């Protein structure tokens, strides 16, 4: 392992060991409290532009494999771990985490006090950072960080969205066959790809929907024409990275879909964009929600669900003027789910596909299927 130097925007300078790609990267630092599923986290496109600090101290134990990829690659800037294990032990392992990171150009940072970093982020909030295996001078790293754009100034959707439309037909992963199932589908939907996770598509298919994934650049009128022609029954708005307020084209597109009364379902970034499209701007949380252990109350049934989360932005409380709150986060009482009053539209902030995480919210996909 070679040396890697870290400089945070609050002036903190640290040295650690590198086990991933070489070079210099600038991004926003967040922490994730999940105890498993590091490969799914690393390959989640929603982390584009971010360094992920794992609170789980041991990372790398089970290696990585092609089946557990949530996208075609890894889009985060890097990961920060207390202890990295380079000798994975699992019958499904095909390569080590270090090999995956090096291939994807992602920094791996270890031998560092992740508890300290997590407490700092909780106290001061998510912040920008630069990490480098080639530059180790504090003042030089400070210059690099100060001259780099902030995460809220970059449209990462252009990097993570598919360039070509494709049909997704795989369902849930079977632990009996170690393959993805091929469910029967009776409805057809379009998934607007802002950085969609593969297991979200799997759950949509499992719930009986044939999913055509399309680039974020698709024209709204093409979708509306397909709906009017009976070629599709609804539209899914995916998760994705970055600040939703800068995504002006996507906001206008969604406004047109709302006006056309197309059944819509949004998760995470899709949930936030639906709020903005209705005229209710999102706001940034202090350090966001990232992990697989967040309690959410279903306001309709009263049930409490343990959920997987990954977001830095949230919808405002006054959105209740146009939507009914269906889910509430019990950590901080922020809004987690909505059903709109004026259109067949629903959305959730958390990740009901839970990869990684608990599957208590998977019923939400069936609810969307029933809406179609």
């Amino acid at each position: 392992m070679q040396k890697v130097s870290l400089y945070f925007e609050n002036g903190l300078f640290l040295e650690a060991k590198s086990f991933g790609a070489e070079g210099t990267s600038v991004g926003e630092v967040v922490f994730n409290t999940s105890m498993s599923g590091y490969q799914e986290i690393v390959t989640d496109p929603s982390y584009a532009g971010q360094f992920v600090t794992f609170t789980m101290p041991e990372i790398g134990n089970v290696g990585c494999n092609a089946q557990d990829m949530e996208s075609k690659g890894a889009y985060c800037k890097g990961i920060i771990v207390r202890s990295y294990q380079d000798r994975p032990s699992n019958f499904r392992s095909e390569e080590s985490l270090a090999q995956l990171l090096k291939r994807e150009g992602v920094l791996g940072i270890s031998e560092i006090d992740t508890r300290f970093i997590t407490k700092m982020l909780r106290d001061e909030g998510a912040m920008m950072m630069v990490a480098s295996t080639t530059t180790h001078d504090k003042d030089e790293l400070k210059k690099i960080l100060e001259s780099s754009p902030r995460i809220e100034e970059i449209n990462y959707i252009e990097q993570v969205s598919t360039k070509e439309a494709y049909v997704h037909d795989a369902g849930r992963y079977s632990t009996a066959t170690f393959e993805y199932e091929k469910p029967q589908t009776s409805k057809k939907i379009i998934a607007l790809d802002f950085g969609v996770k593969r297991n979200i598509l799997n759950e949509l298919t499992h719930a009986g929907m044939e999913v055509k994934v399309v680039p974020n650049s698709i024209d709204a009128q093409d979708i509306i024409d397909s709906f009017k022609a009976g070629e599709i029954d609804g539209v899914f708005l995916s998760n994705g990275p970055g600040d939703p307020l800068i995504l002006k084209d996507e906001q206008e597109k969604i406004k047109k879909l709302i006006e056309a009364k197309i059944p819509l379902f949004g998760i995470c970034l899709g949930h936030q964009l639906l709020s903005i499209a209705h005229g209710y701007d999102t706001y940034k949380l202090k350090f966001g929600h990232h992990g697989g252990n967040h309690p959410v109350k279903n306001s309709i049934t009263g049930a409490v669900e343990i959920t997987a989360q990954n977001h830095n932005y949230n919808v405002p409380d006054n959105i209740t003027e146009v939507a009914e709150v269906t889910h509430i986060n019990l950590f901080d009482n922020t809004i987690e789910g909505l059903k709109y009053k004026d259109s067949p539209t629903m959305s959730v902030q958390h990740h009901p596909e839970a990869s990684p995480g608990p599957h208590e919210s998977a019923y939400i996909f069936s609810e969307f299927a029933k809406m179609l």
Side-chain angles (χ1 to χ4, degrees), residues 130-328:
V130 57
S132 179
T133 61
T134 56
T135 301
H136 303 288
D137 180 76
K138 178 180 177 181
D139 292 334
E140 186 63 31
L141 290 172
K142 182 180 179 181
K143 290 178 183 177
I144 294 173
L145 183 60
E146 290 177 345
S147 62
S148 300
R150 300 185 64 83
I151 189 170
E152 52 266 25
E153 299 170 348
I154 304 172
N155 183 350
Y156 282 104
I157 306 299
E158 302 297 338
Q159 298 180 23
V160 300
S161 179
T162 183
K163 304 305 177 187
E164 301 289 339
Y166 64 94
V167 174
H168 182 90
D169 60 359
R172 288 179 178 173
Y173 183 77
S174 170
T175 54
T177 64
F178 301 112
E179 298 291 340
Y180 287 93
E181 299 170 343
K182 300 285 185 181
Q184 295 293 318
T185 56
S186 58
K187 302 288 185 179
K188 293 185 178 182
I189 64 168
I190 278 177
L192 262 174
D193 183 10
F194 305 133
V196 69
K197 292 175 65 180
R198 184 168 71 171
N199 270 295
I200 288 180
L201 301 176
N202 293 344
E203 288 292 335
L204 289 167
T205 304
H206 177 80
M209 292 168 274
E210 180 185 290
V211 187
K212 182 179 181 180
V213 185
V214 299
N216 69 305
S217 58
I218 189 174
D219 188 77
Q221 192 57 51
D222 291 342
I223 298 176
I224 295 170
D225 291 343
S226 294
F227 177 69
K228 289 181 176 179
E231 296 170 355
I232 62 169
D233 301 291
V235 173
F236 170 71
L237 309 173
S238 86
N239 61 294
D243 188 344
L245 287 175
I246 70 171
L247 304 176
K248 302 302 182 184
D249 291 343
E250 286 76 9
Q251 294 165 23
E252 291 303 315
K253 195 172 301 180
I254 292 170
K255 285 180 183 178
K256 294 176 182 177
L257 301 182
I258 294 169
E259 291 169 0
K261 299 295 183 181
I262 300 174
L264 302 173
F265 174 36
I267 287 179
C268 206
L269 180 63
H271 166 81
Q272 297 159 12
L273 287 170
L274 279 168
S275 174
I276 299 170
H278 279 87
Y280 295 83
D281 285 355
T282 51
Y283 65 96
K284 190 169 187 178
L285 297 166
K286 186 176 181 180
F287 47 79
H289 298 154
H290 311 275
N293 53 0
H294 292 239
V296 166
K297 183 177 181 179
N298 185 316
S299 304
I300 309 302
T301 66
V304 175
E305 306 158 12
I306 304 302
T307 68
Q309 308 242 349
N310 176 23
H311 63 104
N312 270 1
Y313 299 88
N314 217 77
V315 302
D317 290 343
N318 65 340
I319 199 169
T320 53
E321 295 170 358
V322 296
E324 175 188 9
V325 175
T326 59
H327 298 80
I328 290 287

Side-chain angles (χ1 to χ4, degrees), residues 15-228:
E15 292 183 347
K17 298 295 184 181
S18 167
F19 66 91
E22 299 179 7
T24 302
S25 288
V26 176
E28 181 182 53
V29 194
V30 298
F31 63 88
N32 187 297
T33 57
S34 292
M35 297 184 71
S36 63
Y38 58 78
Q39 183 183 347
E40 290 91 332
I41 292 167
V42 167
T43 58
D44 178 353
S46 293
Y47 281 113
Q50 293 180 319
F51 288 93
V52 183
T53 302
F54 286 93
T55 61
M56 180 65 179
E58 294 287 336
I59 297 294
N61 299 34
V62 297
C64 300
N65 65 80
Q67 286 184 322
D68 290 348
M69 295 287 287
E70 285 293 338
S71 63
K72 292 181 178 179
Y75 298 97
C76 59
K77 292 290 186 175
I79 64 172
I80 304 173
V81 307
R82 175 66 187 91
S83 178
Y84 168 65
Q85 174 55 256
D86 199 44
R87 294 176 62 191
S89 178
N90 186 276
F91 74 99
R92 296 179 66 231
S93 177
E94 297 169 354
E95 64 179 343
S96 69
L97 176 58
Q99 289 172 313
L100 171 65
L101 296 182
K102 289 174 182 177
R103 186 176 68 251
E104 296 296 332
V106 174
L107 292 178
I109 301 164
S110 68
E111 304 303 317
I112 197 167
D113 189 346
T114 51
R115 292 175 300 178
F116 171 78
I117 294 176
T118 299
K119 290 177 181 177
M120 178 181 73
L121 296 177
R122 282 177 174 156
D123 290 341
E124 302 181 38
M127 63 183 72
M128 297 296 291
M129 183 194 88
V130 57
S132 179
T133 61
T134 56
T135 301
H136 303 288
D137 180 76
K138 178 180 177 181
D139 292 334
E140 186 63 31
L141 290 172
K142 182 180 179 181
K143 290 178 183 177
I144 294 173
L145 183 60
E146 290 177 345
S147 62
S148 300
R150 300 185 64 83
I151 189 170
E152 52 266 25
E153 299 170 348
I154 304 172
N155 183 350
Y156 282 104
I157 306 299
E158 302 297 338
Q159 298 180 23
V160 300
S161 179
T162 183
K163 304 305 177 187
E164 301 289 339
Y166 64 94
V167 174
H168 182 90
D169 60 359
R172 288 179 178 173
Y173 183 77
S174 170
T175 54
T177 64
F178 301 112
E179 298 291 340
Y180 287 93
E181 299 170 343
K182 300 285 185 181
Q184 295 293 318
T185 56
S186 58
K187 302 288 185 179
K188 293 185 178 182
I189 64 168
I190 278 177
L192 262 174
D193 183 10
F194 305 133
V196 69
K197 292 175 65 180
R198 184 168 71 171
N199 270 295
I200 288 180
L201 301 176
N202 293 344
E203 288 292 335
L204 289 167
T205 304
H206 177 80
M209 292 168 274
E210 180 185 290
V211 187
K212 182 179 181 180
V213 185
V214 299
N216 69 305
S217 58
I218 189 174
D219 188 77
Q221 192 57 51
D222 291 342
I223 298 176
I224 295 170
D225 291 343
S226 294
F227 177 69
K228 289 181 176 179

